[in-house]
Amino acid sequence: MDDQFRELYQEIILDHNRSPRNFGSLPDATHKLEGQNPLCGDRYVFYLKVKDGKVEDVRFEGKGCAISKSSASVMSEFIKGKKIEEIDDYVDLFQKIVRGELDPAEYMEKLGKLAVFAGVSEFPMRVKCATLPWHTLHNALHGKHDATVSTEE
Ligand code: ZN
């Protein structure tokens, strides 16, 4: 990471950890799923309101480290209003970026704020913290309802 990128990484994680966006529950959710990362103790419930193949609204609640919470928060902002097919693309892309399998520089425009999580690839223990929200989102959108998913399954 260069200095500018590191600064942005820290700034976004601190900001979203301190004041997570879309935090809380969603009474009229069509999809609800709990995700946990036992290695770190991260545990969140995600609520989605899906209509006409689009995520109209999203909330999450729970507890975890700064990386998982900020990742969930940034993800919630990012997916609101997007089509499920489009989100599926990002689930895959985000996981590859965080694992260091792709160069984020090539996807900056597409990723926007999500690109900062490429910084997590330098800390292998934290990769599952960052991917937990996306892993849970993917499972919620594709059939797992009212259950729990784990990064260790
Ligand atoms: Zn964590």
Side-chain angles (χ1 to χ4, degrees), residues 37 39-42 44 64-69 125-126 128-130 132:
N37 169 19
L39 295 182
C40 180
D42 309 316
Y44 299 96
C65 66
I67 303 282
S68 61
K69 191 182 274 181
M125 289 296 291
R126 310 254 74 147
K128 284 177 180 166
C129 302
L132 171 66

